[in-house]
Amino acid sequence: MDVILLERVEKLGAIGDVVKVKDGFARNFLLPNKKALRANEANRKVFEANRAKIEADNASRRSDAEKDAKSYDDASVTLIRQSSNTGQLYGSVAVRDLVEAMEAAGHKVSKSQIVLAKPIKAIGLYDVKVQLHPEVAVTVKVNVARSPEEAEMQASGVDVMAAMFEKDEAGFTEDFDPNAEPGATAEVKVVADATEATEDNAEA
């Protein structure tokens, strides 16, 4: 389907461009969200008659978005979630969770403005794009951790999962008896010594 863009659409074009898109994309996204018009003769005339106003409105919205963008400098939000020992979350962080966290941090955003390719399913630091306007985007650092302490560690550059695995490996030790037979543990040697002592006493 050919459509006339009413605003800039990433990877498609700018205001006034006539582009060919899949029918489903046009019907389900572009047309209902007033981002485009069907490219027929009547709509071309309507667009050209209103082009100046459409472009002026877009410039005004872009200016507002650029002002809002300044409030996102070094913006970050923290979400505390439970996870397995490997860092996989029980559940996931979805767009709705991010909207709530950003609003709690003083940023007013809508679900449609958050660009999340797939849900966040593990603890860690993530860069999430917020599209304030078709021509203005900002990045918010999302810190997903199991506790406020871990969140602080991650924010300071510590790889929490790597640190945890190192701790586990360092904590694993095994008693070693230099007199034990190859492959025997200290416990086996103790049992063997006790058995020999018992046999010696019996012979005596």
Side-chain angles (χ1 to χ4, degrees):
M1 181 189 298
D2 288 341
V3 298
I4 305 168
L5 296 180
L6 297 177
E7 63 179 46
R8 178 182 176 275
V9 178
E10 196 169 351
K11 298 180 181 177
L12 275 185
I15 292 176
D17 287 353
V18 177
V19 296
K20 192 175 193 67
V21 297
K22 291 182 178 179
D23 290 0
F25 183 58
R27 292 197 190 97
N28 299 326
F29 180 70
L30 295 177
L31 300 179
N33 288 304
K34 295 183 171 54
K35 294 178 182 291
L37 293 171
R38 290 174 184 272
N40 54 39
E41 196 57 36
N43 282 341
R44 288 175 198 270
K45 289 178 180 177
V46 169
F47 174 78
E48 289 303 330
N50 293 280
R51 184 172 192 134
K53 182 178 185 304
I54 292 170
E55 291 180 344
D57 288 347
N58 178 69
S60 176
R61 291 197 307 273
R62 183 178 64 228
S63 177
D64 290 343
E66 287 170 348
K67 290 175 186 174
D68 289 344
K70 293 176 182 176
S71 70
Y72 283 86
D73 288 346
D74 299 321
S76 67
V77 294
T78 299
L79 292 98
I80 305 302
R81 292 288 188 273
Q82 291 185 323
S83 81
S84 67
N85 289 336
T86 59
Q88 293 298 307
L89 301 181
Y90 298 130
S92 63
V93 173
V95 169
R96 182 186 66 256
D97 302 310
L98 296 174
V99 168
E100 291 174 356
M102 288 181 197
E103 287 184 342
H107 302 294
K108 189 174 181 181
V109 296
S110 64
K111 287 183 180 180
S112 62
Q113 290 177 311
I114 294 179
V115 182
L116 191 64
K118 56 185 178 180
I120 296 171
K121 296 187 176 181
I123 66 172
L125 291 174
Y126 300 87
D127 288 329
V128 174
K129 182 179 175 183
V130 180
Q131 196 79 47
L132 299 176
H133 176 273
E135 298 167 47
V136 182
V138 295
T139 300
V140 174
K141 184 77 72 178
V142 177
N143 188 340
V144 183
R146 291 176 297 184
S147 67
E149 293 75 21
E150 279 193 358
E152 286 184 19
M153 289 171 65
Q154 286 187 155
S156 65
V158 175
D159 186 332
V160 172
M161 292 312 302
M164 187 174 72
F165 283 125
E166 285 173 9
K167 182 179 177 183
D168 286 347
E169 289 172 7
F172 180 75
T173 57
E174 183 176 317
D175 291 332
F176 176 69
D177 182 348
N179 298 318
E181 294 180 12
T185 63
E187 289 82 357
V188 171
K189 183 68 171 64
V190 170
V191 172
D193 289 346
T195 303
E196 288 177 9
T198 303
E199 290 173 352
D200 291 342
N201 290 336
E203 290 174 2

